[in-house]
Amino acid sequence: RPPHPRASRRDVTRVRSERSSNPNPIHAGHAPPSPVAMVNEDKIDALILRLHEIEAVKFGEFKLKSGLISPIYVDLRVIVSYPDVLSSVAACMWDVLKSNGAEFDNMCGVPYTALPIATCMSLNNDCPMLMRRKEVKDYGTKKAIEGAFIAGQTCLVVEDLVTSGASVMETVEPLHEVGLKVKDVVVLIDREQGGEARLKSHDLRLHAVLPLSRVLVTLEKHGKMTADLVNTVKAFIAANQTGPNASGNEMGAAAPAKRATYASRAELTENQCAKDLWRLMDEKKTNLCLSADVESAAELLALADALGPEICVLKTHCDLYPDFSADFVTKLAALATKHNFMIFEDRKFADIGNTVVGQYASGVHKIADWSHITNAHIVPGSGIIDGLKSVGLPKGRGLLLLAEMSSAGTMAKGAYTEAAIAMAAKHPDFVMGFISTNPAAWKVKWSAGLVQMTPGVQLGGGGDAMGQQYNTPDRVIRECGSDVIIVGRGIYKAADPLAEAKKYRAAGWDAYAGAL
């Protein structure tokens, strides 16, 4: 048998102290204890900011192994390319072990990301290291654990990130099988999703350098995250706990949010038009879109000026206006700026890519020049998105796909809706959302950065003789999961359109606020 690094537990606590004539016992592996607290807060803050800088901690929308869409993604594999970060990570992990008085004879990193971290800790602190094979070979020694050790020794498990604790247990079990004891696990980041509770149920103590809540505090303090994004992450963590005894409140969230705020969802989209709309709604406190299906441009301008303060979007049908002109476009754009709303030309493009390029960019209406938002059917296939994007993306425009419609007997449902979701996922820079009726019922996951706009909204519900089906603002927002209510005749046909617009604005916003 090859010589082993340490003969016994007794030797572990004495070898290095005897070598250095240090009378103090050694606890964390073989590193001498410090008379002061081991974890320096400034050092921790600097590490968090550096991890964010190298994109080891990212925010957006990320599909996890579980299939869940997370607003945060921790990818520590990248630290091997930054020696300063790897060194700092190893030092901080050793510090937290010293601070907590952990005792062990050797260490083993969870493959693969934790291996370079464990190697640094081993080299820097003269602590023997073992390696677990993720795939045991069917030839040679066929060992699951490589390295020199004695059965009965205590092994520290080193991990980069803990969520449920499952990957840690995959390393603990083979260590136990070869006679090693495991009492402590050290990790850089604990996502606080129940991993600590799971490990505790196996008599394992977790030493985390960075609970995720600590990461959020530092990034918000230094302006790297908004308060809304912090709350979105906390709500996600609280709603997605794992392991035994998971309370769902490991991060101190008062309660899981039923839906994310508009402001936080601005962080989850690549399309600038969508970002602007999310922020506009949040600042102006309105999710009302006025569908101005009136008979002239002059009438539309009068409505826009009167009702502009109440709305986030004005939906137009420019081919309805016989008096459409360049002067009309100029005046409409001025009103949009004056009252802070966006313009949505409800063109419903439905032709091949080459044709829609001309329809969108030129012709009589030159829609791309003045409308922030437009929409399209997906019947022609993804080529229609490519064509519209070639014109609209350079101008900072956004496209809504018709995923569902509110008319009776619509064919826009089921597989058609799922196809629209798939197409949107392939064009996150230009597709900003959907025209939909009940996204809460969709079986396919879609990005929370996409805006859901729902037509056919009336305070009393019901329908009309042409097959239009109406839903109330409360049902559309709270039950169906939409973000923007589109209201037409319920406002502009009313005896007092402004008073009615105020009612719809209040109803839509109250429904949204109540869903948070």
Side-chain angles (χ1 to χ4, degrees):
R1 181 183 179 89
H4 46 75
R6 299 287 180 258
S8 68
R9 180 69 178 168
R10 175 180 57 80
D11 290 328
V12 170
T13 61
R14 294 181 180 175
V15 168
R16 191 162 179 176
S17 61
E18 290 171 358
R19 189 183 303 157
S20 61
S21 300
N22 185 342
N24 295 324
I26 311 304
H27 297 289
H30 316 293
S34 167
V36 297
M38 301 295 181
V39 183
N40 181 284
E41 292 301 310
D42 291 337
K43 184 178 178 181
I44 292 297
D45 278 349
L47 176 58
I48 292 170
L49 292 172
R50 188 77 173 103
L51 290 170
H52 181 266
E53 180 184 354
I54 66 172
E55 296 190 336
V57 179
K58 297 184 281 191
F59 302 96
E61 284 209 335
F62 307 94
K63 187 173 183 179
L64 303 181
K65 185 178 179 180
S66 63
L68 292 172
I69 303 298
S70 171
I72 183 171
Y73 189 65
V74 180
D75 181 10
L76 295 172
R77 289 166 293 193
V78 71
I79 68 174
V80 296
S81 298
Y82 299 90
D84 64 309
V85 179
L86 182 57
S87 177
S88 179
V89 166
C92 287
M93 290 173 74
W94 192 261
D95 286 349
V96 78
L97 289 167
K98 288 193 293 184
S99 182
N100 293 341
E103 298 182 14
F104 47 89
D105 300 310
N106 41 43
M107 66 174 68
C108 182
V110 176
Y112 291 104
T113 308
L115 293 181
I117 300 174
T119 302
C120 281
M121 293 172 67
S122 172
L123 290 171
N124 293 343
N125 300 286
D126 190 25
C127 178
M129 176 178 160
L130 309 176
M131 289 181 61
R132 174 176 80 85
R133 283 186 178 273
K134 201 165 187 179
E135 300 87 14
V136 179
K137 305 297 184 182
D138 60 0
Y139 55 86
T141 63
K142 302 180 182 179
K143 290 180 179 179
I145 303 296
E146 299 285 0
F149 59 90
I150 297 176
Q153 286 184 323
T154 300
C155 184
L156 168 75
V157 171
V158 180
E159 177 64 300
D160 63 314
L161 175 74
V162 164
T163 301
S164 68
S167 61
V168 170
M169 294 310 301
E170 288 174 0
T171 293
V172 169
E173 289 163 5
L175 290 170
H176 282 166
E177 288 172 4
V178 297
L180 289 164
K181 301 174 184 176
V182 181
K183 298 192 301 182
D184 297 279
V185 178
V186 65
V187 65
L188 177 62
I189 297 180
D190 174 13
R191 282 183 65 110
E192 298 179 279
Q193 287 180 253
E196 183 175 15
R198 177 174 184 166
L199 297 179
K200 186 176 181 180
S201 73
H202 290 277
D203 296 321
L204 299 171
R205 183 164 64 142
L206 181 65
H207 307 267
V209 176
L210 301 174
L212 187 55
S213 53
R214 175 71 168 78
V215 174
L216 301 183
V217 167
T218 296
L219 293 180
E220 183 181 12
K221 180 173 70 176
H222 288 85
K224 306 298 183 183
M225 295 179 71
T226 64
D228 282 325
L229 182 55
V230 169
N231 289 333
T232 296
V233 174
K234 285 186 174 183
F236 174 83
I237 297 300
N240 292 281
Q241 291 293 306
T242 66
N245 307 315
S247 69
N249 198 32
E250 277 74 0
M251 299 191 72
K258 295 179 182 178
R259 66 187 294 163
T261 63
Y262 292 154
S264 67
R265 289 172 70 182
E267 309 291 335
L268 306 179
T269 178
E270 294 182 28
N271 178 260
Q272 187 58 51
C273 198
K275 288 181 184 290
D276 293 342
L277 179 56
W278 287 124
R279 291 166 181 159
L280 186 161
M281 291 192 291
D282 179 70
E283 294 167 5
K284 196 173 177 181
K285 293 183 169 42
T286 176
N287 52 14
L288 173 61
C289 169
L290 173 64
S291 179
D293 301 334
V294 292
E295 297 179 358
S296 70
E299 190 177 352
L300 176 69
L301 291 174
L303 267 180
D305 197 19
L307 308 184
E310 308 302 322
I311 64 176
C312 61
V313 176
L314 177 69
K315 185 168 78 73
T316 63
H317 278 292
C318 61
D319 52 0
L320 288 177
Y321 318 137
D323 53 343
F324 181 92
S325 66
D327 182 60
F328 160 74
V329 169
T330 300
K331 290 178 179 178
L332 181 61
L335 289 173
T337 301
K338 174 184 175 182
H339 296 303
N340 191 24
F341 61 79
M342 300 183 80
I343 303 168
F344 165 25
E345 169 51 31
D346 189 8
R347 177 60 175 77
K348 296 186 179 73
F349 289 102
D351 217 317
I352 61 173
N354 190 56
T355 301
V356 298
V357 167
Q359 292 173 328
Y360 191 28
S362 56
V364 174
H365 299 112
K366 298 182 177 61
I367 295 167
D369 287 347
W370 53 271
S371 180
H372 304 98
I373 305 166
T374 194
N375 58 355
H377 291 287
I378 64 165
V379 174
S382 60
I384 191 172
I385 302 175
D386 294 326
L388 294 170
K389 181 160 70 171
S390 70
V391 176
L393 188 60
K395 296 177 179 289
R397 305 311 190 195
L399 177 68
L400 297 170
L401 297 182
L402 284 106
E404 296 177 302
M405 297 186 72
S406 57
S407 54
T410 177
M411 302 297 289
K413 57 185 178 181
Y416 183 96
T417 300
E418 293 178 6
I421 298 169
M423 288 185 192
K426 293 179 181 179
H427 298 272
D429 54 348
F430 187 55
V431 176
M432 63 177 289
F434 303 101
I435 298 296
S436 59
T437 58
N438 191 12
W442 291 359
K443 296 178 181 179
V444 177
K445 291 285 185 180
W446 48 274
S447 168
L450 294 168
V451 183
Q452 299 284 356
M453 299 181 66
T454 299
V457 178
Q458 280 200 0
L459 289 172
D464 67 11
M466 301 295 290
Q468 175 69 292
Q469 305 298 303
Y470 293 112
N471 280 308
T472 66
D474 189 75
R475 184 174 185 277
V476 165
I477 298 293
R478 302 188 69 166
E479 294 181 33
C480 298
S482 190
D483 304 304
V484 178
I485 58 172
I486 301 176
V487 184
R489 284 168 282 180
I491 292 177
Y492 70 81
K493 290 286 189 181
D496 187 341
L498 178 59
E500 207 65 17
K502 289 179 181 292
K503 290 180 185 178
Y504 275 98
R505 177 185 184 177
W509 192 259
D510 287 349
Y512 158 72
L516 296 177

